[in-house]
Amino acid sequence: MVDALGVAVVGFGWMGRVHTQAYARLPHHYPRLPLRPRLVTVAEEVPGRAEEAAERFGFASATRDWREVAADPRVRAVSVTAPNFLHREIGVAMAEAGKHVWIEKPVGLDAADARAVADAVATAGVQGAVGFNYRNAPAVEAARDLIAAGGIGTVTHVRIRLFSDYAAHPDGALTWRYERARGGSGVLGDLASHGADLARFLLGDIASLTADTAVFVPERARPAGATAGHALASGGERGPVENEDYVGCLLRFVSGARGVLEACRVSVGEQNSYGFAVHGTRGAVFWDFRRMNELRTSLGTTYQDQPVSTQYVGPGAGEFAAFQPGAANAMGYDDLKVIEAYRFVRSVAEGTPYGATLADAVRSAAVLDAMARSAQSGSWVDVEAS
């Protein structure tokens, strides 16, 4: 007997749609999961958007007020995919209402926001998950296993990049994403948060860092009305971009390894250019999100002139077997969110956390806060323990 889990989605932009589709696909990929999500309600303040989502995806009801979701006894679990500045208020309210919370990164505008949501989840005794989807790629999990098993020796250094062009156009609309009060730290929260999580997922905690940030597109046009995604708004009144387009950071890990993390949202010619290169004392491992199902490795005892080979991950890596029967059958981005949904719902079913948790969100946010402090002071800073 499979029990129903009443779920709601708060905020229905692109990420709200991705969460909704992930819930709907769970029975296809994980038929033995003892809970089956049932789409109860969707909340979105933009007029008409919630109703459209309900009709298109099959939610039983729609509302413009997320507070109605917190009060709805049909809802046991909530996806929070609203803008960053609302994450703390909504996340805390949902946890206090006894709802399990799957919340997108960054969880609020800083580590204090993330910690408030994490504390509310812990106090309420509910499950909490965070949207660090790239760690769910089977190739990334295979890389982590290889590193942990000593397959590349002792890790010496890592380079992590997250380059995109979604904000490269000078006529990109001046939405909440570019405001300090509502968008937080710009590319730090949007992309570098993933980098901080990947760094920790692969190599463990970061002890200290030094960072530099920059704004390369200092002004944008204000949109005339509601926007979705990264719309253009040429001709409107122009206003200042208040948060970062770029961050470059040197890392020192607790293990003694060193690292470089770069993230940029205005990189012309780069579309979702995310990945890492991890080097050890006798090998290396490389991953590129755009070739998500491939892992490049240099293994052996040759050291100098040691070749690099490419392997196509298959059913033995991470959750690959839930999606494809054999190696080199491609998985995509949305599949990573299905894995995330599975781990969230499994956490609810078993009362034990699986996947990225609110504690991971707090640790990532502490790294971002340290980047901001370092960029302001121009010096090395310690990453505060969570």
Side-chain angles (χ1 to χ4, degrees), residues 81-352:
T81 55
N84 300 349
F85 65 96
L86 295 171
H87 285 188
R88 176 173 181 163
E89 183 182 9
I90 296 174
V92 169
M94 294 304 169
E96 290 178 344
K99 319 294 188 188
H100 305 284
V101 178
W102 176 15
I103 188 167
E104 273 306 315
K105 45 56 57 189
V107 181
L109 303 180
D110 53 27
D113 283 358
R115 193 171 292 111
V117 179
D119 289 347
V121 165
T123 300
V126 296
Q127 295 298 316
V130 64
F132 288 133
N133 39 263
Y134 299 111
R135 63 156 62 191
N136 298 326
V140 173
E141 297 198 79
R144 187 194 195 201
D145 291 344
L146 175 67
I147 293 166
I152 63 172
T154 300
V155 173
T156 54
H157 58 100
V158 60
R159 180 180 292 273
I160 298 173
R161 75 180 189 286
L162 297 110
F163 296 151
S164 187
D165 65 354
Y166 67 79
H169 201 295
D171 289 332
L174 187 66
T175 64
W176 61 267
R177 293 181 182 277
Y178 304 102
E179 298 175 8
R180 182 72 63 183
R182 298 197 295 166
S185 55
V187 76
L188 274 71
D190 198 15
L191 295 181
S193 58
H194 283 299
D197 182 67
L198 282 173
R200 290 188 55 257
F201 185 69
L202 295 168
L203 305 184
D205 284 329
I206 297 165
S208 60
L209 56 81
T210 184
D212 184 33
T213 61
V215 177
F216 295 134
V217 183
E219 289 187 339
R220 297 181 181 274
R222 300 185 189 280
T227 60
H230 305 288
L232 302 185
S234 59
E237 178 188 356
R238 302 189 73 80
V241 171
E242 298 175 350
N243 54 25
E244 299 82 356
D245 287 331
Y246 169 86
V247 61
C249 190
L250 299 178
L251 309 171
R252 291 173 179 164
F253 290 85
V254 171
S255 67
R258 298 299 196 263
V260 177
L261 190 160
E262 273 190 295
C264 185
R265 64 188 181 188
V266 296
S267 297
V268 175
E270 300 276 16
Q271 297 87 39
N272 299 323
S273 178
Y274 310 150
F276 57 75
V278 183
H279 294 267
T281 51
R282 56 185 177 86
V285 59
F286 311 89
W287 180 72
D288 187 328
F289 169 65
R290 296 167 300 180
R291 306 178 72 91
M292 192 179 83
N293 305 290
E294 298 179 14
L295 200 61
R296 297 172 61 238
T297 58
S298 180
L299 307 174
T301 56
T302 305
Y303 300 101
Q304 186 177 359
D305 298 328
Q306 185 162 283
V308 176
S309 62
T310 299
Q311 69 178 81
Y312 299 96
V313 296
E319 294 292 326
F320 188 95
F323 297 85
Q324 299 293 353
N329 287 287
M331 291 176 59
Y333 174 88
D334 283 16
D335 296 329
L336 303 184
K337 302 306 279 191
V338 176
I339 294 170
E340 204 165 279
Y342 160 66
R343 289 172 172 164
F344 173 54
V345 174
R346 184 182 176 189
S347 299
V348 173
E350 299 182 14
T352 300

